[in-house]
Amino acid sequence: MVLELLHDTNVFRIPGRVPHGSVLALAFACQACTSAAETTLDGPAAPEATGRDAAAEVGTPVRTPPDGGGGEASSEASVAFQPEPPAVYVAKVKNLLVGLPPTQAEIAAVEADPTQLKSLIDGWMALPQYTEKMMTFFELAFQQTQIASVDFADQAFPRQIDVNGTTTPLLVQSAVESFARTVLAMASSGQPFNSAMTTQSFMLTPALMEMYAFLDAWQVDDAGTVTDRFKVANPKLTLSVEATQGPIPIAQTLDPQSPNYMVWYDPDVANLASTGPGCAQDPVVYPAAGDTLHYILTGALLARKSPTNAMCGQLGGTASAPQLTPADYTNWKMVTIRPPAQGESPTAFYDLPTLRTATELVLVTPRVGFFSTPAFFANWQTNTSNQMRVTINQALIVATGAAVDGTDPTIPASTPGLDLEHATLPACVFCHRTLDPTRSILAATYSWNYHQQDEATYSGQDGLFVFQGVTKAVSSVADLGATLATHPLMPSAWVQKLCYYANSSPCETNDPEFQRIVGVFQSSTLSWNALVRELLSSPLTTHATPTQTASDLGEVIAVSRRDHLCAALNARLGFTDVCGLDATTKMQAKTAIPEIVSGLPSDGYGRGAIAPVLPNASTLFYRAGTENICEAVAALVIDVPTKEQVAGITTWSSTQSAAAIADFVQILMALTPSDSRSAPAVQILTSHFTAAVQSGASASNALKSTFTAACLAPSSISIGL
């Protein structure tokens, strides 16, 4: 077996490191639901009829899912269904929802009455960790992630959206999180889930509000021509940036009657000599331009000519340069976006005091639902050839779980926007007859750079939604959102997305249990929390009783991918962001963990694919990466000097190794004391600690090695055990 090779200390040994040979024994102890008497250091005896096959390895499906289900290919023969006991499925569900291990009381409650799992789920959904886990799920499911600052280049053409190294990651992270936070806020207020398709209110930070308003003032048409509405409105205005005068109250900077009107303080002006010979200048004066002012707000200074006509390069800016404060990237609020009334001006992107208190943005560019956010547009850029086809196809995948693939039998009565060149090709017409009319409303609303469409060829052309049995005229993106919200495929699509999240593989859509849950979702008025409660307490997730899905697809034991692993380490050990995934915590610079984590497999999706990409298999790289992460975490929690301890983070002393090992088993490995696997795990870890000390390791290093062994156990680094 792969694990056997990896954990054989005669094969895998790194000089200066205590070998973790006990991990193999822990793998056997954790993989089967066997009694302590049946588990030995050499591996378990035959598993009980109620447990999982003990030979299963992390990342190996017990039965092979079909291609596209996220599982790995396997030649294993089908085996009889083996129901999971509460000790296994309570741990799985709680880990999925909040990253925490189960308690003895929780498992006992479900053992006494399996229906109590729903009540436990309700309690877990009230924890802050649930919000964090669901936020990651929604970021992926609504396809707002897998983006970098360069992906906004079309919308900010010909600039980048931000070039300050301090603010750029904060802005991108805010854009990624925004819609996920929106959905969570709507769910907590009792709104039906399909409001995500129609909402015109979004969770935004002041920094995001500035970006939305800037993109509204900075219009780019289909030909790439920019209309700078700020410049048009202020043709004679100049922008001054100074350092020697000192900080200027922003109220004066924004007051047209003040001598400091549009004079901005930036301490980096003192460093302008670095941008080229003869470029030292204070103040720097620019003609009015929206991109120049947007960069000033983020702490950057555009390239310019000096008074002596020398070319001075662009200055990206330091942490002290932006007008936007760190709080402007973390203060979230629900903001309604609406078009301007007659004679009303759009929101000024540079009026930061107003943005910090406002709960409304007045914008010309429509923002409706998940499919019109800057993050979604950054993810799925279009162009003069594609003309919104990729954008609408990804929106269909998100909302309905289906894509335009040429098999849709829906035939439109008319085909507005049909590409005549492709319509005559038999290989193309079956896709284009539904794709082109459906994307037409996006082409009529947005330019290829996702600004206001002003090209008459497209702007006057309404769309016709034609997809999977639904044909409906749409004259605005609000109509498009409403059509997606009421599409008959929408409820089952989101039950399936949650199936992927829970099981790292799909559910069979013709499974009566799957259909029952879709019905519960619909009858709950599309309550997201009702769906979570029903699916995660269902045998589709718990494998407590047989289902058609289990019979057809089996059960996948998947590696704990990046976000699951990091969430569990945070929740179980008390860290805020041990993996450095949050740009606002600045953990990236404190340990090597963020660099290692960046190489771990994570959930994702591909263009045109209806199923998420879910790496499930344990590889040499995964094994090495998780070991290095566990060792780095061990150094943060074992024998930590008093002055370095952080409130809330669990730590252990090597002078109390027995208590520490008991905690490792219960907290890291998620095995309660009554679990038949707990006592063997304690024994194995104790033997490991003793052997390490006897071989010359200090007690501190021995306990760190023992922590690492527990951290690498299958119940610690897998989903489904």
Coordinates of all heavy atoms in Angstrom, one line a residue, residues 142 179 182-183 186 191-202 336-337 366-372 399 472 476-487 490 526:
F142 N -20.5 29.5 -6.4 CA -20.9 30.6 -7.2 C -19.8 31.1 -8.2 O -20.0 32.2 -8.8 CB -21.5 31.8 -6.4 CG -22.8 31.5 -5.8 CD1 -23.0 31.1 -4.5 CD2 -23.9 31.6 -6.7 CE1 -24.3 30.9 -4.0 CE2 -25.2 31.4 -6.2 CZ -25.4 31.0 -4.8
F179 N -19.8 37.8 -2.6 CA -21.1 37.2 -2.9 C -21.4 36.1 -1.9 O -22.5 35.8 -1.6 CB -21.2 36.7 -4.3 CG -22.6 36.5 -4.7 CD1 -23.5 37.6 -5.0 CD2 -23.2 35.3 -4.7 CE1 -24.8 37.4 -5.3 CE2 -24.5 35.1 -5.0 CZ -25.3 36.2 -5.3
T182 N -22.9 37.6 0.9 CA -24.2 38.0 0.6 C -25.2 36.8 0.8 O -26.3 37.0 1.4 CB -24.3 38.5 -0.9 OG1 -23.3 39.6 -1.1 CG2 -25.7 38.9 -1.3
V183 N -24.9 35.7 0.3 CA -25.8 34.5 0.4 C -25.9 34.1 1.8 O -27.1 33.8 2.3 CB -25.2 33.3 -0.5 CG1 -26.1 32.1 -0.3 CG2 -25.1 33.7 -1.9
M186 N -28.3 36.5 3.4 CA -29.7 36.3 3.0 C -30.2 35.0 3.7 O -31.4 35.0 4.1 CB -29.7 36.2 1.5 CG -29.4 37.5 0.8 SD -29.8 37.4 -1.0 CE -28.7 36.1 -1.6
Q191 N -34.3 34.6 3.8 CA -34.6 34.8 2.4 C -34.5 33.4 1.6 O -33.6 32.6 2.0 CB -33.8 35.8 1.7 CG -34.0 37.2 2.3 CD -33.1 38.2 1.5 OE1 -33.1 38.3 0.3 NE2 -32.4 39.0 2.3
P192 N -35.3 33.1 0.7 CA -35.1 31.9 -0.1 C -33.8 31.9 -0.9 O -33.3 33.0 -1.3 CB -36.3 31.9 -1.0 CG -36.8 33.3 -1.1 CD -36.4 33.9 0.2
F193 N -33.3 30.7 -1.1 CA -32.0 30.6 -1.6 C -31.9 31.2 -3.1 O -30.9 31.7 -3.5 CB -31.5 29.1 -1.7 CG -30.1 28.9 -2.2 CD1 -29.0 29.3 -1.5 CD2 -29.9 28.4 -3.5 CE1 -27.8 29.1 -1.9 CE2 -28.7 28.2 -4.0 CZ -27.6 28.6 -3.2
N194 N -33.0 31.1 -3.8 CA -32.9 31.6 -5.2 C -32.8 33.1 -5.3 O -32.7 33.6 -6.4 CB -34.1 31.0 -6.0 CG -35.5 31.4 -5.5 OD1 -35.6 32.0 -4.4 ND2 -36.5 31.1 -6.2
S195 N -32.9 33.8 -4.1 CA -32.7 35.2 -4.1 C -31.2 35.5 -4.6 O -31.0 36.7 -5.0 CB -32.9 35.8 -2.7 OG -34.2 35.6 -2.3
A196 N -30.4 34.5 -4.6 CA -29.0 34.7 -5.0 C -28.9 35.0 -6.5 O -28.0 35.6 -7.0 CB -28.2 33.5 -4.7
M197 N -30.0 34.7 -7.2 CA -30.0 34.9 -8.7 C -30.6 36.3 -9.0 O -30.4 36.8 -10.1 CB -30.9 33.9 -9.4 CG -30.8 32.4 -8.9 SD -29.1 31.7 -8.9 CE -29.3 30.3 -7.8
T198 N -31.3 36.9 -8.1 CA -32.0 38.1 -8.4 C -31.6 39.3 -7.5 O -32.0 40.4 -7.8 CB -33.5 37.9 -8.2 OG1 -33.8 37.5 -6.8 CG2 -34.1 36.8 -9.1
T199 N -30.8 39.1 -6.5 CA -30.5 40.2 -5.5 C -29.8 41.3 -6.2 O -29.0 41.2 -7.1 CB -29.6 39.6 -4.4 OG1 -29.5 40.7 -3.4 CG2 -28.3 39.2 -4.9
Q200 N -30.2 42.5 -5.8 CA -29.5 43.7 -6.1 C -28.9 44.4 -4.9 O -28.5 45.5 -4.9 CB -30.4 44.7 -6.9 CG -30.9 44.1 -8.2 CD -31.8 45.0 -9.0 OE1 -31.5 46.2 -9.2 NE2 -33.0 44.5 -9.4
S201 N -28.8 43.6 -3.8 CA -28.1 44.0 -2.6 C -26.9 43.0 -2.4 O -27.1 41.8 -2.5 CB -29.1 44.0 -1.4 OG -30.1 45.0 -1.6
F202 N -25.8 43.6 -2.0 CA -24.6 42.8 -1.9 C -23.8 43.2 -0.6 O -23.9 44.3 -0.2 CB -23.7 43.0 -3.1 CG -24.3 42.7 -4.4 CD1 -25.1 43.6 -5.1 CD2 -24.2 41.4 -5.0 CE1 -25.7 43.4 -6.3 CE2 -24.8 41.2 -6.2 CZ -25.5 42.1 -6.9
T336 N -27.3 48.1 -1.2 CA -28.2 48.0 -2.4 C -27.7 48.8 -3.5 O -27.3 50.0 -3.3 CB -29.6 48.5 -2.0 OG1 -30.1 47.7 -0.9 CG2 -30.6 48.4 -3.2
I337 N -27.7 48.3 -4.7 CA -27.2 49.0 -5.9 C -28.4 49.2 -6.8 O -29.2 48.3 -7.1 CB -26.2 48.1 -6.7 CG1 -24.9 47.9 -5.8 CG2 -25.8 48.8 -8.0 CD1 -23.9 47.0 -6.4
P366 N -25.7 47.8 -14.4 CA -26.5 47.0 -13.6 C -25.7 45.9 -12.9 O -24.8 45.3 -13.4 CB -27.5 46.3 -14.6 CG -27.4 47.2 -15.9 CD -26.0 47.7 -15.9
R367 N -26.1 45.7 -11.6 CA -25.5 44.6 -10.8 C -26.7 43.8 -10.3 O -27.4 44.2 -9.4 CB -24.7 45.1 -9.7 CG -23.5 46.0 -10.2 CD -22.4 45.2 -10.9 NE -21.3 46.1 -11.2 CZ -20.2 45.7 -11.9 NH1 -20.1 44.4 -12.2 NH2 -19.2 46.5 -12.1
V368 N -26.9 42.6 -10.8 CA -28.0 41.7 -10.4 C -27.4 40.3 -10.2 O -26.9 39.7 -11.1 CB -29.1 41.7 -11.5 CG1 -30.2 40.7 -11.1 CG2 -29.6 43.1 -11.7
G369 N -27.6 39.7 -9.0 CA -27.3 38.3 -8.8 C -25.8 38.0 -8.9 O -25.0 38.9 -9.0
F370 N -25.5 36.7 -8.7 CA -24.1 36.3 -8.7 C -23.4 36.5 -10.0 O -22.1 36.6 -10.0 CB -24.1 34.8 -8.3 CG -24.6 33.9 -9.5 CD1 -23.7 33.4 -10.4 CD2 -25.9 33.6 -9.6 CE1 -24.1 32.6 -11.5 CE2 -26.4 32.8 -10.6 CZ -25.5 32.3 -11.6
F371 N -24.1 36.5 -11.1 CA -23.5 36.5 -12.4 C -23.1 37.9 -12.9 O -22.5 38.0 -14.0 CB -24.4 35.9 -13.5 CG -25.8 36.6 -13.6 CD1 -26.0 37.6 -14.4 CD2 -26.9 36.1 -12.8 CE1 -27.2 38.3 -14.5 CE2 -28.1 36.7 -12.9 CZ -28.3 37.8 -13.7
S372 N -23.2 38.9 -12.1 CA -22.8 40.3 -12.6 C -21.8 40.9 -11.6 O -21.5 42.1 -11.8 CB -24.1 41.2 -12.6 OG -24.6 41.5 -11.3
A399 N -26.3 28.2 -11.7 CA -27.7 28.2 -11.3 C -28.5 26.9 -11.5 O -29.3 26.5 -10.6 CB -28.5 29.3 -12.1
K472 N -38.3 31.8 -22.5 CA -38.9 33.0 -21.9 C -38.2 34.2 -22.4 O -36.9 34.3 -22.5 CB -38.8 32.9 -20.4 CG -39.5 34.0 -19.7 CD -39.5 33.8 -18.2 CE -40.2 34.9 -17.5 NZ -40.3 34.7 -16.0
S476 N -34.0 42.3 -19.7 CA -33.0 42.9 -18.8 C -32.3 41.8 -18.0 O -32.8 40.7 -18.0 CB -33.7 43.9 -17.8 OG -34.5 43.1 -16.9
V477 N -31.2 42.2 -17.4 CA -30.5 41.2 -16.6 C -31.3 40.8 -15.4 O -31.2 39.7 -14.8 CB -29.1 41.6 -16.2 CG1 -28.2 41.6 -17.4 CG2 -29.1 43.0 -15.5
A478 N -32.2 41.7 -14.9 CA -33.1 41.4 -13.8 C -34.1 40.2 -14.3 O -34.3 39.3 -13.5 CB -33.9 42.6 -13.4
D479 N -34.5 40.3 -15.5 CA -35.3 39.2 -16.1 C -34.6 37.9 -16.1 O -35.1 36.8 -15.8 CB -35.8 39.6 -17.5 CG -36.9 40.7 -17.5 OD1 -37.4 41.0 -16.4 OD2 -37.1 41.2 -18.6
L480 N -33.3 38.0 -16.5 CA -32.5 36.8 -16.6 C -32.3 36.2 -15.2 O -32.4 35.0 -15.0 CB -31.1 37.2 -17.2 CG -30.0 36.1 -17.1 CD1 -30.5 34.9 -17.9 CD2 -28.7 36.6 -17.6
G481 N -32.1 37.0 -14.2 CA -31.9 36.5 -12.8 C -33.2 35.8 -12.4 O -33.2 34.8 -11.8
A482 N -34.4 36.4 -12.7 CA -35.6 35.9 -12.3 C -35.9 34.5 -13.0 O -36.4 33.6 -12.4 CB -36.8 36.8 -12.6
T483 N -35.5 34.4 -14.2 CA -35.6 33.2 -14.9 C -34.7 32.1 -14.4 O -35.2 30.9 -14.2 CB -35.3 33.4 -16.4 OG1 -36.1 34.5 -16.9 CG2 -35.6 32.1 -17.3
L484 N -33.5 32.4 -14.0 CA -32.6 31.4 -13.4 C -33.2 31.0 -12.1 O -33.1 29.8 -11.7 CB -31.2 32.0 -13.2 CG -30.4 32.3 -14.5 CD1 -29.1 33.0 -14.2 CD2 -30.1 31.0 -15.3
A485 N -33.8 31.9 -11.3 CA -34.3 31.7 -10.0 C -35.4 30.7 -10.0 O -35.6 29.9 -9.0 CB -34.7 33.0 -9.3
T486 N -36.2 30.7 -11.1 CA -37.4 29.8 -11.1 C -37.2 28.6 -12.1 O -38.1 27.9 -12.3 CB -38.6 30.7 -11.6 OG1 -38.3 31.3 -12.9 CG2 -38.9 31.7 -10.6
H487 N -36.0 28.4 -12.6 CA -35.8 27.3 -13.5 C -36.0 26.0 -12.7 O -35.5 25.8 -11.6 CB -34.3 27.4 -14.0 CG -34.2 26.5 -15.2 ND1 -34.1 25.1 -15.2 CD2 -34.1 26.8 -16.6 CE1 -33.9 24.7 -16.4 NE2 -33.9 25.7 -17.3
M490 N -33.0 24.3 -10.9 CA -32.3 25.0 -9.8 C -32.2 24.2 -8.5 O -31.2 24.0 -7.9 CB -32.8 26.4 -9.6 CG -31.9 27.3 -8.8 SD -32.0 27.1 -7.0 CE -33.7 27.5 -6.8
L526 N -37.2 26.9 -0.2 CA -35.7 27.0 -0.6 C -34.9 27.6 0.5 O -34.1 28.5 0.3 CB -35.6 27.8 -1.9 CG -36.3 27.3 -3.1 CD1 -36.1 28.2 -4.3 CD2 -35.8 25.9 -3.5

